[in-house]
Amino acid sequence: MHRSKISKPTYNFLRAFYRTASRQFSSHETHLENASSMASLLKTRAVIRFRGPDTVKFLQGLVTNDVRKLVDLEPAAVPTPNMPSVSGPPIYAAMLTPQGRFLYDLFIYRPARPDEKLDESGSGPGPKPDELELYADVDNSVLDELLETMKRYRLRSKVDIENMTEAFSCWQCYGMNLTNKASLKEEPEAASVGYGGAVDQSGVSTSQGNRHGWHWDKDPRLDCLGFRGIFPSNTPPPLIEADKETDETNYLLWRMEKGVAEGSSEIPKGEAMPLEYNLAGLNAISFDKGCYVGQELVARTHHRGVIRKRLLPLKFVDDNGKEVEEKVTPGSEVTSSTSGKKAGIVTTTFGCRGLGLLRLEEAFRGFGNLAIQGQEGIKVQAFRPEWWPSEWFVEHQQQNAAAQNLDGF
């Protein structure tokens, strides 16, 4: 079992921060629920580049999402020398074992190339298909292993795979006042990008990204996760004030309270089933793209329509409902006092918060039902994230399973 660890100094800092915030925690209100926008440099992520004429074909047969969406893009309505004529959001995807178990997750980006930007005369050269580049941000802890795996699958495909971590860094921007925005380009600073009026240099940087075309994009998983981007390592990302940059562990807590795992340390490599870790709901899986490694199990489970275990946000408390900090570790077994059976397992922890893979029929039986095996007096509260679709609720799944049984007669 892979474990997600937080350093003691970082934990102490965040513990003091959270004590100044509201102590209320539910599926609707959490410690960071009213936090203003924050930005975190994601040191746990690394950047790789794919380049060559077979780039799309290679990735299309390897990852769970449809990479063709990054190529079939509509030109921008009003391209300028600062804005690319072709741009699109990144996609979230995963690599699986041939047996359909999770290996790695990737955020795949198509940067705007210089030949996709107009020059000052208003014209520019057309794109060259053999120069297509795609970038991906991946889990830094498995970077070498991931590169080796991809190169093993490459065979004779004309695609170069390079480690670009020295040149580029990954960032996440999040917080309540960003959740409902359609784009960071709605910010006043970014509205001045392009010709005409005052051209704000930070706004130009948002689109131009030091001539690499990098800009903030909505997180492809969920709106509530904010915005994500890859930026040159030697400069801070645009539109981020110095006092808004915060430690990456704040982003970890933000995700945990939304019930979202990330990376091979939180989604156990070689063990996790993608649908149990909610990757379909996080827009990581295309069910109509065609074949890819590990597709058969994912497709069969999806069309069966019954997922009995799912990843959920957790809170650890004592018998009186008071939060219990640093008492639970990843890998701890969660048991049900109602049935006396194992209800699931804790996968990630931070203070009194966590993520756990639990059986849905046991997860929501009321306060006091869930406890940590072997740790007397520690209860577990599980919460349904607001973004969950209704068909994930256990009542719906029970009806669906009953209907399938009737169809079998």
Side-chain angles (χ1 to χ4, degrees):
M1 174 62 64
H2 299 270
R3 298 189 175 189
S4 178
K5 297 181 179 178
I6 307 300
S7 66
K8 183 72 172 179
T10 298
Y11 171 75
N12 289 337
F13 167 79
L14 286 174
R15 183 179 183 184
F17 170 78
Y18 296 134
R19 281 176 173 171
T20 65
S22 167
R23 302 295 298 177
Q24 186 175 8
F25 181 90
S26 69
S27 59
H28 302 287
E29 278 188 79
T30 63
H31 288 315
L32 294 178
E33 193 70 20
N34 297 315
S36 60
S37 62
M38 300 172 283
S40 297
L41 170 63
L42 305 184
K43 297 179 182 179
T44 58
R45 306 294 291 187
V47 179
I48 60 177
R49 178 175 67 186
F50 306 93
R51 180 166 57 180
D54 292 341
T55 293
V56 173
K57 180 181 178 181
F58 168 71
L59 289 173
Q60 186 72 357
L62 198 58
V63 303
T64 56
N65 214 333
D66 193 345
V67 183
R68 294 171 298 184
K69 293 186 288 188
L70 295 170
V71 179
D72 302 331
L73 299 173
E74 295 294 328
V78 187
T80 75
N82 296 324
M83 294 290 288
S85 63
V86 178
S87 62
I91 63 171
Y92 184 52
M95 283 182 60
L96 309 179
T97 68
Q99 295 75 33
R101 304 284 178 165
F102 176 88
L103 278 177
Y104 319 108
D105 65 350
L106 310 88
F107 294 81
I108 306 176
Y109 302 75
R110 179 192 175 184
R113 304 193 300 270
D115 59 336
E116 291 180 340
K117 296 180 183 179
L118 301 181
D119 58 25
E120 294 186 5
S121 67
S123 62
K128 300 177 181 179
D130 61 346
E131 293 181 0
L132 176 66
E133 289 184 342
L134 296 179
Y135 287 69
D137 90 55
V138 300
D139 187 340
N140 198 15
S141 68
V142 293
L143 174 60
D144 292 340
E145 178 186 320
L146 183 149
L147 289 172
E148 181 181 346
T149 301
M150 285 193 159
K151 289 176 181 179
R152 190 165 62 245
Y153 276 110
R154 181 173 55 185
L155 301 177
R156 296 184 179 181
S157 298
K158 295 179 180 179
V159 53
D160 293 324
I161 308 169
E162 303 172 74
N163 180 0
M164 302 296 291
T165 303
E166 292 296 322
F168 294 97
S169 299
C170 307
W171 287 77
Q172 188 86 17
C173 187
Y174 52 100
M176 279 307 298
N177 63 347
L178 291 176
T179 300
N180 296 321
K181 289 186 177 180
S183 168
L184 271 185
K185 295 171 186 175
E186 293 179 5
E187 294 281 352
E189 295 92 335
S192 60
V193 174
Y195 285 135
V199 178
D200 183 273
Q201 293 306 310
S202 67
V204 172
S205 177
T206 301
S207 298
Q208 203 168 18
N210 194 24
R211 299 185 181 278
H212 285 279
W214 299 107
H215 55 269
W216 289 105
D217 285 293
K218 289 180 66 174
D219 192 301
R221 296 168 295 180
L222 300 169
D223 287 348
C224 63
L225 292 176
F227 298 83
R228 199 176 183 101
I230 294 176
F231 299 96
S233 294
N234 58 350
T235 57
L239 306 179
I240 299 301
E241 301 172 13
D243 62 347
K244 298 298 185 182
E245 185 176 342
T246 185
D247 192 273
E248 183 178 357
T249 46
N250 267 325
Y251 169 58
L252 167 64
L253 185 63
W254 185 260
R255 282 193 294 102
M256 287 170 60
E257 294 183 348
K258 306 293 184 287
V260 177
E262 183 176 299
S264 300
S265 60
E266 297 178 26
I267 311 174
K269 182 167 61 70
E271 302 175 16
M273 296 184 65
L275 299 187
E276 291 184 346
Y277 280 75
N278 304 329
L279 292 188
L282 297 174
N283 300 312
I285 301 174
S286 170
F287 292 102
D288 55 10
K289 59 165 284 185
C291 296
Y292 57 86
V293 176
Q295 179 207 18
E296 184 177 352
L297 175 64
V298 174
R300 184 169 65 245
T301 305
H302 170 69
H303 291 299
R304 207 175 68 222
V306 179
I307 311 296
R308 303 190 187 281
K309 295 185 292 183
R310 286 194 182 274
L311 191 74
L312 294 164
L314 307 177
K315 183 173 72 166
F316 310 117
V317 298
D318 61 20
D319 292 331
N320 298 317
K322 183 179 179 180
E323 294 172 351
V324 175
E325 310 221 8
E326 289 194 294
K327 297 294 185 181
V328 181
T329 59
S332 298
E333 184 174 309
V334 180
T335 59
S336 168
S337 60
T338 303
S339 65
K341 298 179 180 179
K342 178 180 177 180
I345 192 168
V346 177
T347 61
T348 307
T349 62
F350 180 80
C352 62
R353 303 291 187 265
L355 294 172
L357 185 66
L358 303 183
R359 295 181 64 85
L360 296 178
E361 64 180 0
E362 301 286 357
F364 307 113
R365 289 182 180 269
F367 178 77
N369 176 54
L370 300 179
I372 298 297
Q373 176 71 27
Q375 291 185 263
E376 187 176 349
I378 298 181
K379 305 297 183 183
V380 180
Q381 292 181 335
F383 302 91
R384 289 187 181 96
E386 291 184 349
W387 61 268
W388 272 28
S390 60
E391 58 266 25
W392 286 9
F393 288 68
V394 64
E395 298 87 356
H396 177 92
Q397 294 203 8
Q398 288 173 342
Q399 293 173 1
N400 190 34
Q404 288 186 354
N405 290 335
L406 289 174
D407 290 340
F409 284 106

